[in-house]
Amino acid sequence: MDPFDPAIHYGPNDAGVSAFSILVVAIGLLVGSWAFGALYGILSSYIQGKQKEKD
């Protein structure tokens, strides 16, 4: 009987990576980038509004 060699018998599930966790990370990146863009747009509009009030 051959001894078990973990370097040979290694798969993606051995690292705790599943399709669900990959999906959660991908959705988190999309939502995070959208939220950053939305916040930037709101702050930009607010600052432009303040600039127009001064002029």
Side-chain angles (χ1 to χ4, degrees):
M1 183 174 179
D2 294 329
F4 181 76
D5 187 3
I8 295 172
H9 304 286
Y10 183 78
N13 289 334
D14 293 337
V17 177
S18 65
F20 178 72
S21 63
I22 292 171
L23 184 65
V24 167
V25 168
I27 290 173
L29 287 172
L30 288 172
V31 170
S33 64
W34 172 82
F36 182 76
L39 183 62
Y40 179 80
I42 290 169
L43 288 174
S44 177
S45 297
Y46 178 75
I47 291 170
Q48 285 179 356
K50 288 289 189 180
Q51 293 282 338
K52 288 181 181 179
E53 287 178 6
K54 288 183 179 179
D55 294 341

